[in-house]
Amino acid sequence: MEYVQIIILALFVNNVVLSQFLGICPFLGVSNKISTAVGMGAAVIFVMALANLVTYMIYNFLLVPMHIEFMQTISFILVIAALVQMVEIILKKVSPPLYQALGIFLPLITTNCAVLGIALLAVTKNYNLVQSVVYASATAVGFTLALVLMAGIREQMQLVKVPKGMQGTQLSLIIAGLLAMAFMGFSGMVK
C-alpha cells in the first residue's frame, strides 16, 4: 500500500509540473505536438528513474560514509549530465526523427530542474532504494502525463479560432493553470 500511495502522490497530487512547478521549460516548449511530447516524456522517464537509482547509490554509499553530504547537488548534476549525454547518443542512433524533433530540448533535460529536484527530494524524504526509484518513475510518468495532456489540448486549440492576444504563451499558461486545478481534485485520494 505504501508504494501505491507514493505512485498516486507523485502522479497526480504532487505532479512535478502542475503542483511543484518543476520542469516548466520543457512543459511549455515541447508540448506543441503529442508525438514530440511522448518522446520527451519517454526520455525523461528513463533519465529520471536511472538518475535516481545512481544518485541514491552515490549519496548512500559514497557521500554519507565519507561525510561529504554537502556535495550531493554537484555530484547529482554531474550524474544527470552524463545520463542525458547517453540518452542523446542512443536516440541519435535508434530514432533520428525523434532526435530531430526534440531538438534543443533533449540537452535541456540536463538542466531540467525536475530531474535534479526529484533526486534531491528522494534523499530529503529518506526513501530507500526501491521507494526512490518508484517515486522517480511515478514522478516522470506524471510529468509525461501532464506533457501529453498539454500537447493534446494545444493541438486541439490550433483547430479553433483564438483571439490574437491570447495565442501562444498566454493561452498555454491558462491551459496549464486549468490542468493544475484539475489535478488538485486528486488531493483527497491519499492522506
Side-chain angles (χ1 to χ4, degrees):
M1 188 63 176
E2 179 182 350
Y3 294 108
V4 173
Q5 185 177 11
I6 290 172
I7 291 168
I8 291 173
L9 283 170
L11 271 172
F12 302 115
V13 179
N14 296 324
N15 187 284
V16 70
V17 176
L18 301 174
S19 175
Q20 298 176 3
F21 306 112
L22 297 173
I24 295 292
C25 179
F27 177 69
L28 294 175
V30 183
S31 61
N32 289 326
K33 292 195 303 189
I34 292 176
S35 60
T36 308
V38 169
M40 178 65 149
V44 168
I45 290 169
F46 177 75
V47 169
M48 200 177 285
L50 194 57
N52 246 12
L53 177 69
V54 174
T55 56
Y56 177 89
M57 303 279 220
I58 288 173
Y59 183 79
N60 287 297
F61 299 119
L62 182 67
L63 300 179
V64 171
M66 295 177 71
H67 304 290
I68 54 172
E69 294 92 346
F70 63 90
M71 295 290 292
Q72 73 181 6
T73 303
I74 192 71
S75 61
F76 288 8
I77 289 171
L78 292 172
V79 166
I80 292 165
L83 288 173
V84 169
Q85 286 298 315
M86 186 176 73
V87 168
E88 191 171 358
I89 291 168
I90 291 170
L91 272 182
K92 195 173 190 177
K93 296 250 187 229
V94 173
S95 179
L98 180 58
Y99 175 78
Q100 291 293 329
L102 291 175
I104 187 66
F105 294 103
L106 187 58
L108 283 179
I109 295 176
T110 304
T111 58
N112 186 347
C113 57
V115 178
L116 177 61
I118 296 309
L120 293 171
L121 282 172
V123 168
T124 304
K125 293 177 187 247
N126 291 323
Y127 283 152
N128 63 33
L129 179 62
V130 176
Q131 290 172 327
S132 180
V133 172
V134 166
Y135 174 65
S137 300
T139 300
V141 170
F143 175 84
T144 304
L145 175 66
L147 194 63
V148 170
L149 284 172
M150 181 69 156
I153 293 170
R154 286 178 75 178
E155 279 187 2
Q156 289 297 312
M157 292 307 291
Q158 291 176 357
L159 302 175
V160 297
K161 187 173 181 178
V162 178
K164 191 159 184 93
M166 292 297 296
Q167 293 175 355
T169 306
Q170 299 88 329
L171 185 61
S172 297
L173 292 174
I174 291 170
I175 294 168
L178 292 171
L179 280 173
M181 287 180 9
F183 272 58
M184 284 174 59
F186 292 107
S187 61
M189 289 178 63
V190 180
K191 293 181 182 182

